[in-house]
Amino acid sequence: MTVLFNNYGRRPVHLVKGQGTEVWDDTGKRYLDFTSGIAVLTLGHANPLLVKALQQQSEKLWHVSNLFASPEQEKLGASLVKDTHLAHALFCNSGAEANEAAIKLARKHSGKHHIITFEKSFHGRTYATMAATGQDKVKQGFGPLVDKFTTIPFNDVAALKQAADDTVGAIMLEVIQGEGGVNVATEEFIAAINEVSKEHGILVIVDEVQTGIARTGKRYAFEYTALKPDIVSLAKGLGGGFPIGAILAKAEMYDTLGPGSHGTTFGGNPLAVAVAQTVIDTVFTETFLQSVAELSAYAKQQITEKLSQFTVVGEGLLLGLVCPNGDAAAYVAKAEQQGLLVVQAGPGVIRLVPPLTVTKEEIDEAIAILQTL
């Protein structure tokens, strides 16, 4: 019996040390970590740059209320919106909080409460983000949810055009669905979103909690598309392992969230901001983004050549292996036994989300393990 709630399907592995892409358990066994804390460890375990940033900040200031000015938040926000169509940032602690803030901002700014979301999406486990999520398994047993969410099939242009009308305040989507199977939005679907949002005055929220911060080889996954979202949510990789979330929004939304309309005690705290700034300074460079793109191309090529039983999907280092028998769980368990940690994306897809600092040699090692399963 454990003192902890049973809400996680925990694996029987106690990890005690990590460095880069490698982790070790309490028996000394080494693993390759291709989970990255589920797309969180942007620069790997115990990255010296992040350790230094956290240590230096911890010796100066741990926490200060958002009642006070924060030049550090200003700098991080400016780094996140630089060279985009976005203008303002709000910091919080997690992806669910970021998506809650995005929903609140969209409803308040549009004056409309109806939001369209998509099947197989995942936006969080709070009441509003559960309602937004297009997976029934996260909603069961919790009673009435926040209303005015319409969930339709992903990449279904006809369903989108039928659902969109003047009552809709926002469309909320992941450009690449992570939890639901590594599903990539088609060009036709993106074009239809742009069309209906313009026709009906609908805001567009892009959930970049998993896809953002260079994970797909771009700063943000929406940069692969023709979308110019009104609101973008971030978390996971933003802190490289330290908890932080954010929303970014267009300039015209600045006055929508006035003093007292939204808040957080710990959001944008000095420790989180110091680490996140170091992450952004490292990954938002042409050299780093090109490296992610090259590693992705290499991984896709090797998977296609050596793991032909799988179909590879996704962008950057958010890749999915579609299982021939639809049973990803069995592969995940066998890979763990062989020293490779991976995670599912829905019942039939193995998700590969290594640190963005992974090497080609580590990719080769991971593929060699997968070949044995």
Side-chain angles (χ1 to χ4, degrees):
M1 179 63 70
T2 172
V3 70
L4 302 177
F5 269 106
N6 193 35
N7 57 311
Y8 297 108
R10 295 184 190 270
R11 306 184 195 179
V13 176
H14 178 201
L15 299 176
V16 297
K17 179 184 176 182
Q19 186 66 56
T21 310
E22 299 174 297
V23 292
W24 290 264
D25 68 16
D26 56 355
T27 70
K29 181 177 178 179
R30 169 190 174 271
Y31 303 81
L32 276 180
D33 184 7
F34 272 49
T35 72
S36 296
I38 312 185
V40 167
L41 295 159
T42 311
L43 299 177
H45 291 271
N47 184 281
L49 291 173
L50 303 190
V51 171
K52 181 179 179 181
L54 183 58
Q55 182 177 10
Q56 289 180 341
Q57 184 59 49
S58 72
E59 294 171 350
K60 294 189 293 185
L61 187 67
W62 283 38
H63 177 75
V64 62
S65 169
N66 280 306
L67 293 173
F68 299 93
S70 177
E72 294 79 14
Q73 285 189 29
E74 290 279 358
K75 180 182 178 183
L76 179 58
S79 299
L80 292 169
V81 302
K82 183 181 179 182
D83 298 326
T84 74
H85 65 288
L86 302 162
H88 301 293
L90 180 152
F91 294 104
C92 55
N93 303 289
S94 71
E97 284 189 30
N99 283 329
E100 282 275 348
I103 291 166
K104 286 177 68 175
L105 176 58
R107 285 184 163 191
K108 195 167 191 289
H109 187 78
S110 69
K112 297 183 285 187
H113 301 159
H114 186 186
I115 295 177
I116 293 174
T117 64
F118 301 97
E119 294 176 2
K120 298 185 179 181
S121 62
F122 183 82
H123 300 295
R125 298 181 186 276
T126 62
Y127 266 88
T129 58
M130 274 198 302
T133 292
Q135 300 188 54
D136 288 341
K137 66 181 182 180
V138 307
K139 306 175 184 181
Q140 293 170 357
F142 295 106
L145 300 177
V146 177
D147 63 0
K148 299 296 184 182
F149 287 92
T150 296
T151 303
I152 62 175
F154 190 61
N155 278 331
D156 189 327
V157 172
L160 174 66
K161 290 185 175 181
Q162 183 175 2
D165 59 30
D166 291 343
T167 70
V168 176
I171 295 169
M172 186 174 190
L173 76 151
E174 302 152 278
V175 170
I176 303 174
Q177 292 182 329
E179 301 295 326
V182 192
N183 306 306
V184 181
T186 64
E187 289 186 16
E188 294 78 10
F189 190 57
I190 295 298
I193 290 173
N194 278 331
E195 178 185 336
V196 299
S197 63
K198 183 177 180 180
E199 179 181 356
H200 298 289
I202 299 172
L203 300 174
V204 176
I205 304 169
V206 173
D207 179 340
E208 295 265 10
V209 168
Q210 187 161 174
T211 56
I213 317 300
R215 172 55 57 183
T216 66
K218 301 281 190 182
R219 295 173 303 171
Y220 309 112
F222 76 77
E223 293 178 319
Y224 278 105
T225 76
L227 285 178
K228 296 289 184 182
D230 300 278
I231 306 169
V232 172
S233 59
L234 302 170
K236 288 190 179 288
L238 177 58
F242 201 96
I244 186 172
I247 60 168
L248 311 176
K250 289 182 175 179
E252 54 264 33
M253 295 188 162
Y254 176 73
D255 291 325
T256 302
L257 292 182
S261 61
H262 191 69
T264 163
T265 297
F266 295 108
N269 70 79
L271 295 171
V273 168
V275 176
Q277 186 67 61
T278 305
V279 170
I280 296 304
D281 289 344
T282 303
V283 306
F284 276 16
T285 66
E286 287 301 321
T287 300
F288 192 93
L289 293 170
Q290 182 60 35
S291 172
V292 176
E294 290 173 358
L295 288 167
S296 176
Y298 179 78
K300 287 180 176 180
Q301 178 188 22
Q302 294 300 305
I303 291 167
T304 300
E305 291 178 2
K306 298 177 180 178
L307 297 170
S308 58
Q309 70 270 38
F310 298 104
T311 301
V312 60
V313 292
E315 294 288 352
L317 292 174
L318 172 54
L319 298 176
L321 302 182
V322 182
C323 299
N325 61 3
D327 185 10
Y331 286 104
V332 170
K334 291 177 183 178
E336 182 180 293
Q337 294 171 3
Q338 299 300 317
L340 174 65
L341 303 179
V342 291
V343 64
Q344 289 179 243
V349 178
I350 303 167
R351 193 174 0 164
L352 305 179
V353 280
L356 304 186
T357 52
V358 67
T359 65
K360 289 183 178 179
E361 290 75 18
E362 289 167 337
I363 291 172
D364 289 341
E365 184 181 352
I367 290 174
I369 291 172
L370 290 168
Q371 283 182 292
T372 68
L373 305 183

